[in-house]
């Protein structure tokens, strides 16, 4: 099955999601360099060189064409009067074509937290997962200590399906993982599609 290319930016009521470019490096360093932001994600705090390497490397794919790929988009405030600012990034992994499965993730600059931006961006990524890729099931894997991200998954309409005890050696210690999931038909009911 061949997919039509995604059109950018993907707009929500307050945000624009789009591919990251080298000009976004300073915005990304503003939060990706922070230990408090990186404590729940696989990467360590990044400097400008690290961010630029990711932008032209692993984050450079702007289309999902098959399983095993991921799509990372910058989260930009749509109504920013001056220079648009990337306030976070969202990722969609396409895990399996056969099982029509994927995973969603998100990172937000804490300076912009508490306004629902991460939830809004994750909803847009779920629209891509179910509306564009026609996935059947999307998961979110959350460190059990990351209560904010757990609440976000629940706001998306995802259900908690598992609590994996000490399943991964993560940043110097064993961590528990909470797994959330949502099916295409559930997303259709929630999103009115």
């Amino acid at each position: 099955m061949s997919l039509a290319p995604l059109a950018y930016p993907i707009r929500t009521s307050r945000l624009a999601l789009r591919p990251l470019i080298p000009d976004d490096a300073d915005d990304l360093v503003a939060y990706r360099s922070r230990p408090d932001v990186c404590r729940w994600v696989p990467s360590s705090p990044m400097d400008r060189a690290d961010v630029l390497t990711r932008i032209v490397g692993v984050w450079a794919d702007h289309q999902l064409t098959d399983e095993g790929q991921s799509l990372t988009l910058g989260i930009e405030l749509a109504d920013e009067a001056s220079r648009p600012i990337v306030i976070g990034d969202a990722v969609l992994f396409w895990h399996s074509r056969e099982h029509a499965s994927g995973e969603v993730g998100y990172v937000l600059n804490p300076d912009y937290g508490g306004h629902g931006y991460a939830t809004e961006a994750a909803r847009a990524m779920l629209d891509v997962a179910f509306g564009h890729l026609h996935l059947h099931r999307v998961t979110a894997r959350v460190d059990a200590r990351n209560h904010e991200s757990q609440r976000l998954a629940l706001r998306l309409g995802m259900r908690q399906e598992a609590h994996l005890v000490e399943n991964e050696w993560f940043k110097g210690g064993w961590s528990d993982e909470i797994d959330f999931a949502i099916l295409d038909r559930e997303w259709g009911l929630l999103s009115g599609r």
Side-chain angles (χ1 to χ4, degrees), residues 135-191:
L135 296 183
H136 173 66
R137 175 182 167 84
V138 175
T139 60
R141 298 180 325 134
V142 179
D143 188 295
R145 298 164 292 184
N146 187 349
H147 302 293
E148 289 178 15
S149 195
Q150 290 177 50
R151 287 191 296 271
L152 191 155
L154 293 170
R155 280 194 304 276
L156 293 171
M158 300 178 111
R159 85 188 135 277
Q160 180 181 330
E161 292 191 335
H163 181 147
L164 308 176
V165 178
E166 295 185 10
N167 72 307
E168 191 171 274
W169 184 260
F170 185 72
K171 298 191 176 182
W174 290 107
S175 69
D176 288 13
E177 176 182 301
I178 308 290
D179 290 349
F180 295 87
I182 190 166
L183 300 176
D184 54 352
R185 67 178 174 270
E186 295 166 331
W187 183 249
L189 290 172
L190 288 172
S191 63

Coordinates of all heavy atoms in Angstrom, one line a residue, residues 135-191:
L135 N -3.4 2.9 11.1 CA -3.0 1.9 12.1 C -4.2 1.5 12.9 O -5.2 2.1 13.0 CB -2.0 2.6 13.1 CG -0.6 3.0 12.4 CD1 0.3 3.5 13.5 CD2 0.0 1.8 11.7
H136 N -4.1 0.3 13.5 CA -5.1 -0.3 14.3 C -4.9 0.0 15.8 O -5.9 0.2 16.5 CB -5.1 -1.8 14.1 CG -6.1 -2.5 15.0 ND1 -7.5 -2.4 15.0 CD2 -5.9 -3.4 16.1 CE1 -8.1 -3.1 15.9 NE2 -7.1 -3.7 16.6
R137 N -3.7 0.2 16.2 CA -3.4 0.3 17.7 C -2.1 1.2 17.8 O -1.1 1.0 17.2 CB -3.1 -1.1 18.2 CG -2.7 -1.2 19.7 CD -2.5 -2.6 20.0 NE -1.8 -2.8 21.3 CZ -2.3 -2.8 22.4 NH1 -3.6 -2.6 22.5 NH2 -1.6 -2.9 23.5
V138 N -2.2 2.1 18.8 CA -1.1 3.0 19.1 C -0.9 2.9 20.6 O -1.8 3.0 21.4 CB -1.3 4.4 18.6 CG1 -0.2 5.3 19.1 CG2 -1.5 4.5 17.1
T139 N 0.4 2.8 21.0 CA 0.7 2.8 22.4 C 1.5 4.0 22.8 O 2.0 4.7 22.0 CB 1.6 1.5 22.7 OG1 2.8 1.6 21.9 CG2 0.8 0.2 22.4
A140 N 1.6 4.2 24.1 CA 2.5 5.2 24.7 C 3.2 4.5 25.9 O 2.5 3.9 26.7 CB 1.8 6.4 25.2
R141 N 4.5 4.5 25.9 CA 5.3 3.8 27.0 C 5.8 5.0 27.9 O 6.5 5.8 27.4 CB 6.4 3.0 26.4 CG 5.9 1.9 25.6 CD 7.0 1.0 25.0 NE 8.2 1.7 24.6 CZ 9.5 1.3 24.9 NH1 9.6 0.2 25.6 NH2 10.5 2.0 24.6
V142 N 5.5 4.9 29.2 CA 5.8 6.0 30.1 C 6.5 5.4 31.3 O 6.1 4.4 31.9 CB 4.4 6.7 30.5 CG1 4.7 7.8 31.5 CG2 3.7 7.2 29.3
D143 N 7.5 6.1 31.7 CA 8.2 5.8 33.0 C 7.2 6.0 34.1 O 6.5 7.0 34.2 CB 9.4 6.7 33.2 CG 10.3 6.3 34.4 OD1 9.8 6.3 35.5 OD2 11.4 5.9 34.2
A144 N 7.1 5.0 35.0 CA 6.1 5.0 36.1 C 6.2 6.3 37.0 O 5.3 6.6 37.7 CB 6.2 3.8 36.9
R145 N 7.4 6.9 37.0 CA 7.6 8.1 37.9 C 7.1 9.3 37.2 O 7.1 10.4 37.8 CB 9.1 8.2 38.3 CG 9.6 7.0 39.1 CD 11.1 6.9 39.1 NE 11.6 6.6 37.8 CZ 12.9 6.4 37.5 NH1 13.8 6.5 38.5 NH2 13.2 6.1 36.3
N146 N 6.8 9.2 35.9 CA 6.4 10.4 35.1 C 4.9 10.6 35.1 O 4.2 10.2 34.2 CB 6.9 10.3 33.7 CG 6.7 11.5 32.8 OD1 6.0 12.4 33.2 ND2 7.3 11.5 31.7
H147 N 4.4 11.1 36.2 CA 3.0 11.2 36.4 C 2.3 12.1 35.5 O 1.1 11.9 35.0 CB 2.7 11.6 37.9 CG 3.3 10.6 38.9 ND1 2.8 9.3 39.0 CD2 4.3 10.8 39.7 CE1 3.6 8.7 40.0 NE2 4.5 9.6 40.4
E148 N 3.0 13.2 35.1 CA 2.4 14.1 34.1 C 2.1 13.5 32.8 O 1.1 13.7 32.1 CB 3.3 15.4 33.9 CG 3.3 16.3 35.1 CD 4.3 17.4 34.9 OE1 4.7 17.7 33.8 OE2 4.6 18.1 35.9
S149 N 3.1 12.7 32.3 CA 2.9 12.0 31.0 C 1.8 10.9 31.1 O 1.1 10.7 30.2 CB 4.2 11.4 30.6 OG 4.1 11.0 29.2
Q150 N 1.7 10.3 32.3 CA 0.6 9.3 32.5 C -0.8 10.0 32.4 O -1.7 9.5 31.7 CB 0.7 8.6 33.8 CG 1.9 7.7 33.9 CD 2.0 7.1 35.3 OE1 1.0 6.5 35.8 NE2 3.2 7.1 35.9
R151 N -0.9 11.2 33.0 CA -2.1 11.9 32.9 C -2.4 12.3 31.5 O -3.6 12.3 31.0 CB -2.1 13.1 33.9 CG -2.2 12.7 35.3 CD -2.4 13.9 36.2 NE -1.3 14.8 36.3 CZ -0.3 14.7 37.1 NH1 -0.2 13.8 38.0 NH2 0.7 15.6 37.0
L152 N -1.4 12.7 30.7 CA -1.6 13.1 29.3 C -2.1 11.9 28.5 O -3.1 12.1 27.8 CB -0.3 13.6 28.8 CG -0.3 14.3 27.4 CD1 0.8 15.2 27.2 CD2 -0.4 13.3 26.3
A153 N -1.6 10.7 28.7 CA -2.1 9.6 28.0 C -3.5 9.3 28.3 O -4.3 9.0 27.4 CB -1.2 8.3 28.3
L154 N -3.9 9.5 29.5 CA -5.3 9.3 29.9 C -6.2 10.4 29.3 O -7.3 10.1 28.8 CB -5.5 9.3 31.4 CG -4.8 8.1 32.1 CD1 -4.8 8.3 33.7 CD2 -5.5 6.8 31.8
R155 N -5.7 11.6 29.2 CA -6.5 12.7 28.6 C -6.7 12.4 27.1 O -7.7 12.8 26.5 CB -5.8 14.0 28.7 CG -6.0 14.7 30.0 CD -5.5 16.2 30.0 NE -4.2 16.4 29.6 CZ -3.1 16.3 30.4 NH1 -3.3 16.0 31.7 NH2 -1.9 16.6 30.0
L156 N -5.8 11.7 26.5 CA -5.9 11.3 25.1 C -6.9 10.2 24.9 O -7.3 9.9 23.7 CB -4.6 10.8 24.5 CG -3.5 11.8 24.4 CD1 -2.1 11.2 24.0 CD2 -3.8 12.9 23.3
G157 N -7.4 9.6 25.9 CA -8.4 8.5 25.8 C -7.7 7.1 25.8 O -8.4 6.1 25.6
M158 N -6.4 7.1 26.1 CA -5.7 5.8 26.1 C -6.0 5.2 27.5 O -6.3 5.8 28.5 CB -4.2 6.1 26.0 CG -3.8 6.7 24.7 SD -2.0 7.0 24.6 CE -1.7 5.8 23.2
R159 N -6.0 3.9 27.5 CA -6.2 3.1 28.7 C -4.8 2.5 29.1 O -4.0 2.1 28.3 CB -7.2 2.0 28.5 CG -6.7 0.7 27.9 CD -7.8 -0.3 27.5 NE -7.4 -0.8 26.2 CZ -7.6 -0.2 25.1 NH1 -8.3 0.9 25.0 NH2 -7.2 -0.7 23.9
Q160 N -4.7 2.4 30.5 CA -3.5 1.7 31.0 C -3.7 0.2 30.8 O -4.7 -0.3 31.2 CB -3.3 2.1 32.4 CG -2.0 1.4 33.0 CD -1.8 1.7 34.5 OE1 -2.1 2.8 35.0 NE2 -1.2 0.7 35.2
E161 N -2.7 -0.4 30.2 CA -2.8 -1.8 29.9 C -1.8 -2.6 30.7 O -2.0 -3.8 30.9 CB -2.7 -2.1 28.5 CG -3.8 -1.6 27.6 CD -3.8 -2.1 26.2 OE1 -2.7 -2.5 25.7 OE2 -4.9 -2.2 25.6
A162 N -0.7 -2.0 31.1 CA 0.3 -2.8 31.8 C 1.1 -1.9 32.7 O 1.3 -0.7 32.5 CB 1.2 -3.5 30.8
H163 N 1.6 -2.5 33.8 CA 2.6 -1.9 34.6 C 3.8 -2.9 34.7 O 3.6 -4.0 35.3 CB 2.1 -1.6 36.0 CG 3.1 -1.0 36.9 ND1 2.7 -0.1 37.9 CD2 4.5 -1.1 37.0 CE1 3.8 0.3 38.6 NE2 4.9 -0.3 38.0
L164 N 4.8 -2.7 34.0 CA 6.0 -3.6 33.9 C 7.0 -3.2 35.0 O 7.5 -2.1 35.0 CB 6.6 -3.5 32.5 CG 5.6 -3.7 31.3 CD1 6.4 -3.5 30.0 CD2 5.0 -5.0 31.4
V165 N 7.2 -4.1 35.9 CA 8.0 -3.8 37.1 C 9.5 -4.0 36.7 O 9.9 -5.1 36.3 CB 7.6 -4.7 38.3 CG1 8.5 -4.4 39.5 CG2 6.1 -4.4 38.6
E166 N 10.3 -3.0 36.9 CA 11.8 -3.1 36.7 C 12.1 -3.8 35.4 O 13.0 -4.6 35.3 CB 12.5 -3.8 37.9 CG 12.3 -3.0 39.2 CD 13.1 -3.6 40.3 OE1 13.9 -4.5 40.1 OE2 12.9 -3.1 41.5
N167 N 11.4 -3.3 34.3 CA 11.6 -4.0 33.0 C 12.8 -3.5 32.2 O 13.2 -4.1 31.3 CB 10.3 -3.9 32.2 CG 10.1 -2.4 31.7 OD1 10.2 -1.5 32.5 ND2 10.0 -2.3 30.4
E168 N 13.4 -2.3 32.6 CA 14.4 -1.8 31.9 C 15.5 -1.1 32.8 O 15.1 -0.4 33.7 CB 13.8 -0.7 30.9 CG 14.7 -0.2 29.8 CD 14.0 0.6 28.8 OE1 13.4 0.0 27.9 OE2 14.0 1.8 29.0
W169 N 16.7 -1.3 32.4 CA 17.8 -0.6 33.1 C 17.9 0.8 32.4 O 18.2 0.9 31.2 CB 19.1 -1.3 32.9 CG 20.3 -0.7 33.7 CD1 21.2 0.1 33.1 CD2 20.5 -0.8 35.0 NE1 22.1 0.5 34.1 CE2 21.7 0.0 35.3 CE3 19.9 -1.4 36.1 CZ2 22.2 0.1 36.6 CZ3 20.5 -1.3 37.4 CH2 21.6 -0.5 37.6
F170 N 17.5 1.8 33.1 CA 17.3 3.2 32.5 C 18.1 4.2 33.4 O 17.7 4.4 34.5 CB 15.8 3.5 32.5 CG 15.5 4.7 31.8 CD1 15.6 4.9 30.4 CD2 15.0 5.8 32.5 CE1 15.3 6.0 29.7 CE2 14.7 7.0 31.8 CZ 14.8 7.1 30.5
K171 N 19.1 4.8 32.8 CA 19.8 5.9 33.4 C 20.3 5.5 34.8 O 20.1 6.3 35.7 CB 19.0 7.2 33.4 CG 18.7 7.6 31.9 CD 18.1 9.0 31.8 CE 17.9 9.3 30.3 NZ 17.4 10.6 30.1
G172 N 20.9 4.4 34.9 CA 21.6 4.0 36.1 C 20.8 3.2 37.1 O 21.2 3.0 38.2
G173 N 19.6 2.9 36.8 CA 18.7 2.1 37.7 C 17.6 1.4 37.0 O 17.3 1.7 35.8
W174 N 17.0 0.5 37.7 CA 15.8 -0.2 37.1 C 14.6 0.7 37.2 O 14.4 1.4 38.2 CB 15.5 -1.5 37.9 CG 16.6 -2.6 37.7 CD1 17.5 -3.0 38.6 CD2 16.8 -3.3 36.5 NE1 18.3 -3.9 38.1 CE2 17.9 -4.2 36.8 CE3 16.2 -3.3 35.3 CZ2 18.4 -5.0 35.8 CZ3 16.6 -4.2 34.3 CH2 17.7 -5.0 34.6
S175 N 13.9 0.7 36.1 CA 12.7 1.5 36.1 C 11.5 0.7 35.7 O 11.5 -0.3 35.0 CB 12.8 2.7 35.0 OG 12.8 2.2 33.7
D176 N 10.3 1.1 36.2 CA 9.0 0.6 35.9 C 8.5 1.3 34.7 O 8.7 2.5 34.5 CB 8.0 0.7 37.0 CG 8.3 -0.2 38.2 OD1 9.4 -0.8 38.3 OD2 7.5 -0.3 39.1
E177 N 7.7 0.6 33.9 CA 7.1 1.2 32.7 C 5.6 1.0 32.8 O 5.1 -0.1 33.1 CB 7.7 0.5 31.4 CG 7.0 1.0 30.1 CD 7.6 0.2 29.0 OE1 8.8 0.2 28.8 OE2 6.8 -0.5 28.3
I178 N 4.9 2.1 32.5 CA 3.4 2.0 32.3 C 3.1 2.1 30.9 O 3.5 3.0 30.2 CB 2.7 3.1 33.1 CG1 3.2 3.3 34.5 CG2 1.2 3.0 33.0 CD1 2.8 2.2 35.4
D179 N 2.3 1.1 30.4 CA 2.0 1.0 29.0 C 0.5 1.4 28.8 O -0.4 0.9 29.5 CB 2.2 -0.4 28.4 CG 3.7 -0.7 28.2 OD1 4.5 0.2 28.4 OD2 4.0 -1.9 28.0
F180 N 0.3 2.4 27.9 CA -1.1 2.8 27.5 C -1.3 2.5 26.1 O -0.4 2.3 25.3 CB -1.2 4.3 27.7 CG -1.0 4.8 29.1 CD1 0.2 5.1 29.7 CD2 -2.1 5.0 29.9 CE1 0.4 5.5 31.0 CE2 -2.0 5.4 31.2 CZ -0.8 5.6 31.8
A181 N -2.6 2.3 25.7 CA -2.9 2.0 24.3 C -4.3 2.6 24.0 O -5.2 2.8 24.8 CB -2.8 0.5 24.0
I182 N -4.5 2.7 22.7 CA -5.8 3.1 22.1 C -5.9 2.5 20.7 O -5.0 2.3 20.0 CB -6.0 4.6 22.1 CG1 -7.4 5.0 21.7 CG2 -5.0 5.3 21.1 CD1 -7.8 6.5 22.0
L183 N -7.2 2.0 20.4 CA -7.4 1.4 19.1 C -8.1 2.4 18.2 O -8.6 3.5 18.6 CB -8.4 0.2 19.3 CG -8.0 -0.9 20.2 CD1 -9.1 -1.9 20.4 CD2 -6.7 -1.5 19.7
D184 N -8.0 2.1 16.9 CA -8.5 3.1 15.9 C -10.0 3.3 16.1 O -10.4 4.5 16.0 CB -8.2 2.5 14.5 CG -8.7 1.1 14.2 OD1 -9.2 0.4 15.2 OD2 -8.7 0.7 13.0
R185 N -10.8 2.3 16.4 CA -12.2 2.6 16.6 C -12.5 3.4 17.8 O -13.4 4.3 17.8 CB -13.0 1.3 16.7 CG -12.7 0.4 17.8 CD -13.6 -0.9 17.8 NE -13.2 -1.8 18.9 CZ -12.3 -2.7 18.8 NH1 -11.7 -2.9 17.7 NH2 -12.0 -3.5 19.8
E186 N -11.7 3.3 18.9 CA -11.8 4.1 20.1 C -11.5 5.6 19.7 O -12.1 6.5 20.2 CB -10.9 3.6 21.2 CG -11.3 2.2 21.7 CD -10.3 1.5 22.5 OE1 -9.1 1.8 22.3 OE2 -10.7 0.7 23.4
W187 N -10.4 5.7 19.0 CA -10.0 7.1 18.6 C -11.1 7.7 17.7 O -11.3 8.9 17.8 CB -8.6 7.1 17.8 CG -8.2 8.5 17.5 CD1 -8.0 9.0 16.2 CD2 -7.8 9.5 18.4 NE1 -7.6 10.3 16.3 CE2 -7.4 10.6 17.7 CE3 -7.7 9.5 19.8 CZ2 -7.0 11.8 18.2 CZ3 -7.3 10.7 20.4 CH2 -6.9 11.8 19.6
G188 N -11.7 6.9 16.8 CA -12.7 7.4 16.0 C -13.9 8.0 16.8 O -14.5 9.0 16.5
L189 N -14.3 7.3 17.8 CA -15.4 7.7 18.7 C -15.0 9.0 19.4 O -15.8 9.9 19.6 CB -15.8 6.6 19.7 CG -16.5 5.4 19.1 CD1 -16.6 4.3 20.2 CD2 -17.8 5.8 18.5
L190 N -13.8 9.1 19.9 CA -13.3 10.2 20.7 C -13.1 11.5 19.8 O -13.4 12.6 20.2 CB -12.0 9.9 21.4 CG -12.0 9.0 22.6 CD1 -10.7 8.6 23.0 CD2 -12.8 9.6 23.7
S191 N -12.7 11.2 18.6 CA -12.4 12.4 17.7 C -13.5 12.7 16.8 O -13.4 13.7 16.0 CB -11.1 12.1 16.9 OG -11.3 11.0 16.0

